[in-house]
Amino acid sequence: MKLNEAHPGSRAKVISVGGTGALRQHFLDMGVIPGAELSVVKYAPMGDPVELLIHGYSLTLRLEDCGKIEIETLPDKAPDESDTDNKASDGRKGGKGSSKTFASSHPGLGEGGKFHPKGSGDPLPDGTLLTFALVGNQNSGKTTLFNKLTGSNQHVGNFPGVTVDRKDGRIIGHDNTLITDLPGIYSMSPFSSEELVSRDFVLKEKPKAIINIVDATNIERNLYLTMQLLEMGIPVVVALNMMDELTANGGSIDINGMESMLGVPVVPISAVKNQGVAELVDHAIHIAHYQEKPLKQDFCDESDHGGAVHRCLHAVIHLIRDHAEASGIPVRFAASKVIEGDELIISQLGLDDNEKELMDHIVLQMENERGLDRSAAIADMRFMYINKACEATVKKPGVSKERVRSEKLDRILTGRFTAIPAFIAIMAVVFWLTFNVAGPWLQDLLASGIDKLTAVADAALTSAGVNDVLHGLLIEGVFAGVGSVLSFIPIIVILFFFLSILEDSGYIARVAFVMDKILRKIGLSGRSIVPMLIGFGCTVPAVMSTRTLPSERDRRMTIILTPFMSCTAKLPVYAFFVNSFFPARGGFIMVGLYVLGIVMAVLAACLYKGTLFKGEPAPFVMELPNYRLPSPGNVLRLLWEKAKDFLRRAFTVILLATVVVWFLKSFDWHFALVSDSQSSILSSIAGALAPVLKPLGLGDWRIATSLISGFIAKESVVSTMEILFGTGIKTILTTLSAACMLVFSLLYTPCVAAMAAIRRELGSKWMIGVIVWQCVVAWIAAFIVHTIGTLI
Ligand code: GDP
Ligand code: MG
């Protein structure tokens, strides 16, 4: 039967995995291979996706994708068995109930030379920069370890050509080192942009060594990536992280045994508690300095199913060796990728037709003998070896405290009837705390600080007799403009504080799981919910947070949808019009505007889905990590990074834009200072724009001016109107035009800060597209409101 027919609670064994291409490879890489045992944990509240337990971790799949997986149900476990084993293990023998324990202590650097065969052999010349790549699964503790290793010697950038964060840093105390934190990946397949980035980094930038971080509590799935790293023939040291958690739950690992199975140094660490990290650094430097390659690269077994995979691999290795050497790809790695059918590697190798045909025959022969197709056979070979290694060296913990706690929390947080109310409640609390409690208080504090500073500067400039023009520029332009933006730092930082806690704790993954079905209807996948939510706060962090999305298509589509979310900077605009025109119906209008934004986003998404972004949303193959308490260090560091990022922007883009607007509003076309802004350049530009807004009942140049100033920041729509209209707004606008103005302000272009963020993520063309498109949408929506309004 198919996996989508299995009931929650049932156990099953995978018989075959259907599907094609990226998705299928992803299944296999995540451990859904023929022969693997799994249990169905639960369906999401809306019936899709499904949470499974496989290789001891939680995996989510969509029902549709489950339909491609053929299974055979297994009998339920006997009660006594499930006591010790429970759901935390998928039923493999891995030491369950056995009495073996392993001392986790590590004999130390050198170990009689066993894993440092060269010892004092032929090291790299002194002074060579030792470059390291930090590679590991998501949630394996990479960020935590990276921060421990580098302290504050790090800087964040992008990998060339893609907007995936790249963090580099020096290892504390070792000046000639450079460590790069690669994106969290599950495999070296080229199917997600992050996996490709990591693979290209290792193949092309050739780090001197790899530090592979492995989550010891989830060792089988994590070692899958290790297997592929070992094939690359670059020195590797394995950091077994989360050892504190493993040992606290009664598990242990025979470190020396693991080392001899893997042929590389293995160091047990706890990144959070900073245990073993110094030893890890010693090993890493040693293997890099002496260029100690893994002692083992051959994980195929001669006796496995008649050795079909073994023979195939070695035949292909011989066949492609010269090509691989010529194109600089490690031969063993190239061979297994070729057998998996990796088109990129095949074309990089430049095989001729004869050789390709020969290879296809070899692979076909293997498939026939092994009874599995090419990708499954390779994945199976890797997992077989992993199982062998784990059976020999790992004593799995009983059900871990973390797992039990996660299951309890999930009963509510992903429970059928409680998930959505819980989600709404959590978001409400986060937004309430950010925008009502902590944010405004700090914002007021900062704003009054800035005001004081402005007053002091103003007085100083006056007493120094500074030229009026310069004075105006500094006070009205720089201090007022940049100052008003700077006062948003507290809100942004606090919002990020909550969101990073939600994310690091593992809750955001659950939200994506719960909301996936709804978002699929509009062509997105569950993970896009996060940026949308942040967009209610501010579009800038919303756009930045799309980096966590796995597919480029989803990421782009999400970015151009975020401006529809009503950001907090628009609140003053709403408040201004509500007070003047609809004092009795304020709440109704506010809620209506938020809902209108969402409705427009849904409509836009439906439009994009069929035009700009054809194709399927990313497959929803996602791990649900156990809930963990985020480490304060990580959170603080993240906040600091965000604040720094924002400051940098405030003093570049925003400063420039402010100066430009100040200039336009203060001078006329003869560059003479004007006393009344009506004769300024800004007003004549705005006057030219006014006819465009006439059909919306907004044909006054002052309205156009206010809207233009909204490009800088949405709040300045209000401040500009207050200056230009005074209290006379009601004599110029009708109630209907006020309604049109509200709709227009909600939907039209995002502010400069948001534009800059969009440009950084998508490039200038997209940014201009978004600006024009939002204005068009706003115009149409306001026009509809105006037309309906005039009719009734
Ligand atoms: P990344 O996704 O690989 O960057 O992982 P993070 O560094 O964000 O860590 C994921 C979670 O695991 C965080 O909540 C960390 O606090 C936690 N964590 C990291 N290292 C350890 C460890 O050694 N022991 C324990 N118990 N938790 C850890
Ligand atoms: Mg991380």
Side-chain angles (χ1 to χ4, degrees), residues 227-483:
M227 296 278 117
Q228 299 178 54
L229 296 175
L230 297 178
E231 286 184 340
M232 299 186 112
I234 295 174
V236 173
V237 56
V238 170
L240 269 185
N241 193 27
M242 316 253 182
M243 284 303 284
D244 56 322
E245 208 171 280
L246 185 89
T247 43
N249 291 304
S252 64
I253 294 179
D254 172 6
I255 301 291
N256 282 348
M258 185 64 85
E259 286 189 330
S260 55
M261 290 300 278
L262 299 179
V264 292
V266 176
V267 187
I269 67 166
S270 165
V272 168
K273 300 193 169 156
N274 209 1
Q275 288 164 352
V277 176
E279 196 192 338
L280 175 69
V281 170
D282 287 346
H283 278 269
I285 302 237
H286 186 99
I287 57 156
H289 188 58
Y290 292 102
Q291 283 297 296
E292 290 175 10
K293 307 242 153 68
L295 295 182
K296 228 186 173 103
Q297 293 197 329
D298 211 24
F299 302 104
C300 45
D301 188 347
E302 259 183 83
S303 55
D304 166 37
H305 291 82
V309 177
H310 166 78
R311 279 179 282 114
C312 172
L313 256 168
H314 287 271
V316 172
I317 288 175
H318 289 306
L319 191 69
I320 64 168
R321 181 176 298 277
D322 51 338
H323 292 270
E325 279 164 6
S327 41
I329 307 173
V331 59
R332 168 80 201 195
F333 175 75
S336 49
K337 287 292 152 194
V338 164
I339 298 175
E340 277 179 353
D342 186 325
E343 293 295 342
L344 264 168
I345 295 284
I346 294 178
S347 71
Q348 276 168 25
L349 286 174
L351 302 173
D352 65 32
D353 289 346
N354 250 337
E355 286 167 315
K356 275 190 197 148
E357 202 177 313
L358 198 54
M359 236 168 43
D360 287 343
H361 283 297
I362 297 174
V363 170
L364 193 66
Q365 180 64 19
M366 179 275 289
E367 290 183 324
N368 288 340
E369 283 181 44
R370 179 64 186 83
L372 287 176
D373 69 281
R374 50 205 297 173
S375 339
I378 294 291
D380 179 72
M381 182 265 298
R382 294 195 184 119
F383 274 110
M384 284 257 300
Y385 193 83
I386 292 171
N387 284 334
K388 210 159 71 183
C390 289
E391 257 166 46
T393 62
V394 178
K395 179 183 182 242
K396 279 207 176 159
V399 192
S400 71
K401 283 198 292 291
E402 288 74 17
R403 178 79 212 156
V404 174
R405 188 176 60 190
S406 290
E407 275 170 23
K408 272 195 195 136
L409 280 169
D410 271 346
R411 237 170 267 158
I412 296 171
L413 296 179
T414 63
R416 181 156 206 167
F417 301 108
T418 47
I420 291 178
F423 166 68
I424 293 173
I426 289 174
M427 289 324 292
V429 168
V430 165
F431 279 87
W432 178 71
L433 286 176
T434 308
F435 295 111
N436 272 339
V437 182
W441 181 74
L442 284 170
Q443 190 171 17
D444 286 350
L445 202 69
L446 199 67
S448 72
I450 292 172
D451 282 350
K452 287 217 179 72
L453 202 66
T454 312
V456 171
D458 198 0
L461 288 172
T462 313
S463 70
V466 172
N467 166 310
D468 272 355
V469 180
L470 191 61
H471 188 153
L473 171 65
L474 285 175
I475 299 301
E476 288 167 36
V478 177
F479 273 88
V482 177

Side-chain angles (χ1 to χ4, degrees), residues 504-534:
D504 274 7
S505 66
Y507 180 61
I508 291 281
R510 268 79 180 178
V511 176
F513 172 67
V514 170
M515 304 303 267
D516 183 60
K517 187 160 181 189
I518 302 182
L519 281 153
R520 263 201 98 180
K521 295 223 158 69
I522 59 169
L524 287 172
S525 84
R527 300 196 204 196
S528 298
I529 190 87
V530 183
M532 302 285 185
L533 290 174
I534 304 178

